[in-house]
PDB file of all heavy atoms in Angstrom:
ATOM      1  N   VAL A  77       7.195  27.017   0.312  1.00 98.00           N
ATOM      2  CA  VAL A  77       8.328  26.195  -0.115  1.00 98.00           C
ATOM      3  C   VAL A  77       7.783  24.729  -0.248  1.00 98.00           C
ATOM      4  O   VAL A  77       6.776  24.419   0.330  1.00 98.00           O
ATOM      5  CB  VAL A  77       9.453  26.212   1.038  1.00 98.00           C
ATOM      6  CG1 VAL A  77      10.086  27.538   1.197  1.00 98.00           C
ATOM      7  CG2 VAL A  77       8.889  25.674   2.347  1.00 98.00           C
ATOM      8  N   ALA A  78       8.466  24.085  -1.102  1.00 98.00           N
ATOM      9  CA  ALA A  78       8.295  22.638  -1.319  1.00 98.00           C
ATOM     10  C   ALA A  78       9.327  21.931  -0.628  1.00 98.00           C
ATOM     11  O   ALA A  78      10.491  22.116  -0.955  1.00 98.00           O
ATOM     12  CB  ALA A  78       8.235  22.336  -2.803  1.00 98.00           C
ATOM     13  N   GLU A  79       8.954  21.051   0.282  1.00 98.00           N
ATOM     14  CA  GLU A  79       9.902  20.223   0.973  1.00 98.00           C
ATOM     15  C   GLU A  79       9.808  18.764   0.587  1.00 98.00           C
ATOM     16  O   GLU A  79       8.688  18.191   0.531  1.00 98.00           O
ATOM     17  CB  GLU A  79       9.676  20.382   2.610  1.00 98.00           C
ATOM     18  CG  GLU A  79      10.647  19.749   3.443  1.00 98.00           C
ATOM     19  CD  GLU A  79      10.374  20.050   4.953  1.00 98.00           C
ATOM     20  OE1 GLU A  79       9.822  21.093   5.236  1.00 98.00           O
ATOM     21  OE2 GLU A  79      10.705  19.245   5.748  1.00 98.00           O
ATOM     22  N   TYR A  80      10.876  18.123   0.294  1.00 96.00           N
ATOM     23  CA  TYR A  80      11.023  16.793  -0.110  1.00 96.00           C
ATOM     24  C   TYR A  80      12.180  16.105   0.646  1.00 96.00           C
ATOM     25  O   TYR A  80      13.294  16.534   0.608  1.00 96.00           O
ATOM     26  CB  TYR A  80      11.251  16.692  -1.584  1.00 96.00           C
ATOM     27  CG  TYR A  80      11.315  15.308  -2.070  1.00 96.00           C
ATOM     28  CD1 TYR A  80      10.333  14.419  -2.051  1.00 96.00           C
ATOM     29  CD2 TYR A  80      12.553  14.913  -2.693  1.00 96.00           C
ATOM     30  CE1 TYR A  80      10.477  13.091  -2.693  1.00 96.00           C
ATOM     31  CE2 TYR A  80      12.693  13.657  -3.247  1.00 96.00           C
ATOM     32  CZ  TYR A  80      11.691  12.775  -3.160  1.00 96.00           C
ATOM     33  OH  TYR A  80      11.887  11.446  -3.668  1.00 96.00           O
ATOM     34  N   ASN A  81      11.791  15.097   1.442  1.00 94.00           N
ATOM     35  CA  ASN A  81      12.821  14.317   2.263  1.00 94.00           C
ATOM     36  C   ASN A  81      13.568  15.346   3.117  1.00 94.00           C
ATOM     37  O   ASN A  81      14.744  15.193   3.276  1.00 94.00           O
ATOM     38  CB  ASN A  81      13.737  13.562   1.429  1.00 94.00           C
ATOM     39  CG  ASN A  81      13.104  12.323   0.749  1.00 94.00           C
ATOM     40  OD1 ASN A  81      12.143  11.816   1.252  1.00 94.00           O
ATOM     41  ND2 ASN A  81      13.703  11.943  -0.335  1.00 94.00           N
ATOM     42  N   GLY A  82      12.893  16.259   3.692  1.00 94.00           N
ATOM     43  CA  GLY A  82      13.535  17.312   4.656  1.00 94.00           C
ATOM     44  C   GLY A  82      14.334  18.289   3.948  1.00 94.00           C
ATOM     45  O   GLY A  82      14.915  19.128   4.607  1.00 94.00           O
ATOM     46  N   GLU A  83      14.282  18.440   2.610  1.00 97.00           N
ATOM     47  CA  GLU A  83      15.049  19.389   1.943  1.00 97.00           C
ATOM     48  C   GLU A  83      14.258  20.370   1.164  1.00 97.00           C
ATOM     49  O   GLU A  83      13.203  19.937   0.571  1.00 97.00           O
ATOM     50  CB  GLU A  83      16.031  18.660   0.871  1.00 97.00           C
ATOM     51  CG  GLU A  83      16.810  19.539   0.076  1.00 97.00           C
ATOM     52  CD  GLU A  83      17.679  18.816  -0.915  1.00 97.00           C
ATOM     53  OE1 GLU A  83      17.675  17.450  -0.971  1.00 97.00           O
ATOM     54  OE2 GLU A  83      18.323  19.426  -1.905  1.00 97.00           O
ATOM     55  N   ILE A  84      14.527  21.645   1.118  1.00 98.00           N
ATOM     56  CA  ILE A  84      13.715  22.702   0.360  1.00 98.00           C
ATOM     57  C   ILE A  84      14.198  22.467  -1.041  1.00 98.00           C
ATOM     58  O   ILE A  84      15.333  22.591  -1.513  1.00 98.00           O
ATOM     59  CB  ILE A  84      14.048  24.073   0.840  1.00 98.00           C
ATOM     60  CG1 ILE A  84      13.688  24.201   2.320  1.00 98.00           C
ATOM     61  CG2 ILE A  84      13.234  25.066  -0.091  1.00 98.00           C
ATOM     62  CD1 ILE A  84      12.285  23.853   2.715  1.00 98.00           C
ATOM     63  N   VAL A  85      13.195  22.059  -1.962  1.00 98.00           N
ATOM     64  CA  VAL A  85      13.455  21.726  -3.408  1.00 98.00           C
ATOM     65  C   VAL A  85      12.723  22.725  -4.287  1.00 98.00           C
ATOM     66  O   VAL A  85      12.916  22.679  -5.489  1.00 98.00           O
ATOM     67  CB  VAL A  85      13.142  20.294  -3.761  1.00 98.00           C
ATOM     68  CG1 VAL A  85      13.963  19.371  -2.816  1.00 98.00           C
ATOM     69  CG2 VAL A  85      11.631  20.033  -3.459  1.00 98.00           C
ATOM     70  N   GLY A  86      11.870  23.629  -3.774  1.00 98.00           N
ATOM     71  CA  GLY A  86      11.101  24.573  -4.585  1.00 98.00           C
ATOM     72  C   GLY A  86      10.644  25.735  -3.692  1.00 98.00           C
ATOM     73  O   GLY A  86      10.404  25.514  -2.500  1.00 98.00           O
ATOM     74  N   ILE A  87      10.369  26.813  -4.430  1.00 98.00           N
ATOM     75  CA  ILE A  87       9.848  28.025  -3.822  1.00 98.00           C
ATOM     76  C   ILE A  87       8.895  28.728  -4.742  1.00 98.00           C
ATOM     77  O   ILE A  87       9.074  28.643  -5.922  1.00 98.00           O
ATOM     78  CB  ILE A  87      10.931  29.012  -3.285  1.00 98.00           C
ATOM     79  CG1 ILE A  87      11.743  29.553  -4.546  1.00 98.00           C
ATOM     80  CG2 ILE A  87      11.862  28.264  -2.299  1.00 98.00           C
ATOM     81  CD1 ILE A  87      12.611  30.718  -4.141  1.00 98.00           C
ATOM     82  N   SER A  88       7.910  29.405  -4.202  1.00 98.00           N
ATOM     83  CA  SER A  88       7.139  30.342  -4.815  1.00 98.00           C
ATOM     84  C   SER A  88       7.194  31.660  -3.950  1.00 98.00           C
ATOM     85  O   SER A  88       6.662  31.617  -2.790  1.00 98.00           O
ATOM     86  CB  SER A  88       5.696  29.778  -4.906  1.00 98.00           C
ATOM     87  OG  SER A  88       4.887  30.823  -5.495  1.00 98.00           O
ATOM     88  N   LEU A  89       7.898  32.679  -4.508  1.00 98.00           N
ATOM     89  CA  LEU A  89       8.031  33.823  -3.731  1.00 98.00           C
ATOM     90  C   LEU A  89       7.210  34.943  -4.321  1.00 98.00           C
ATOM     91  O   LEU A  89       7.189  35.160  -5.532  1.00 98.00           O
ATOM     92  CB  LEU A  89       9.497  34.280  -3.742  1.00 98.00           C
ATOM     93  CG  LEU A  89       9.867  35.360  -2.706  1.00 98.00           C
ATOM     94  CD1 LEU A  89      11.189  35.103  -2.032  1.00 98.00           C
ATOM     95  CD2 LEU A  89       9.953  36.754  -3.468  1.00 98.00           C
ATOM     96  N   TYR A  90       6.440  35.614  -3.491  1.00 98.00           N
ATOM     97  CA  TYR A  90       5.391  36.666  -3.821  1.00 98.00           C
ATOM     98  C   TYR A  90       5.510  37.902  -3.007  1.00 98.00           C
ATOM     99  O   TYR A  90       6.056  37.842  -1.883  1.00 98.00           O
ATOM    100  CB  TYR A  90       3.978  36.042  -3.891  1.00 98.00           C
ATOM    101  CG  TYR A  90       3.606  35.579  -2.612  1.00 98.00           C
ATOM    102  CD1 TYR A  90       3.083  36.383  -1.581  1.00 98.00           C
ATOM    103  CD2 TYR A  90       3.832  34.186  -2.278  1.00 98.00           C
ATOM    104  CE1 TYR A  90       2.760  35.830  -0.274  1.00 98.00           C
ATOM    105  CE2 TYR A  90       3.560  33.714  -0.891  1.00 98.00           C
ATOM    106  CZ  TYR A  90       2.994  34.559  -0.005  1.00 98.00           C
ATOM    107  OH  TYR A  90       2.722  34.185   1.205  1.00 98.00           O
ATOM    108  N   TYR A  91       4.842  38.932  -3.558  1.00 98.00           N
ATOM    109  CA  TYR A  91       4.643  40.101  -2.792  1.00 98.00           C
ATOM    110  C   TYR A  91       3.370  40.859  -3.201  1.00 98.00           C
ATOM    111  O   TYR A  91       2.954  40.584  -4.262  1.00 98.00           O
ATOM    112  CB  TYR A  91       5.931  40.978  -2.687  1.00 98.00           C
ATOM    113  CG  TYR A  91       6.490  41.393  -3.989  1.00 98.00           C
ATOM    114  CD1 TYR A  91       6.030  42.531  -4.710  1.00 98.00           C
ATOM    115  CD2 TYR A  91       7.439  40.707  -4.599  1.00 98.00           C
ATOM    116  CE1 TYR A  91       6.613  42.849  -6.002  1.00 98.00           C
ATOM    117  CE2 TYR A  91       8.099  41.003  -5.854  1.00 98.00           C
ATOM    118  CZ  TYR A  91       7.632  42.068  -6.537  1.00 98.00           C
ATOM    119  OH  TYR A  91       8.088  42.412  -7.698  1.00 98.00           O
ATOM    120  N   ASP A  92       3.037  41.891  -2.474  1.00 97.00           N
ATOM    121  CA  ASP A  92       1.896  42.740  -2.876  1.00 97.00           C
ATOM    122  C   ASP A  92       2.223  43.739  -3.900  1.00 97.00           C
ATOM    123  O   ASP A  92       3.410  44.290  -3.936  1.00 97.00           O
ATOM    124  CB  ASP A  92       1.428  43.608  -1.627  1.00 97.00           C
ATOM    125  CG  ASP A  92       0.631  42.759  -0.706  1.00 97.00           C
ATOM    126  OD1 ASP A  92       0.459  41.543  -0.880  1.00 97.00           O
ATOM    127  OD2 ASP A  92       0.212  43.416   0.371  1.00 97.00           O
TER     128      ASP A  92
END
Side-chain angles (χ1 to χ4, degrees):
V77 295
E79 189 176 327
Y80 175 67
N81 289 339
E83 179 184 351
I84 303 301
V85 298
I87 64 169
S88 174
L89 190 139
Y90 57 84
Y91 54 86
D92 283 359

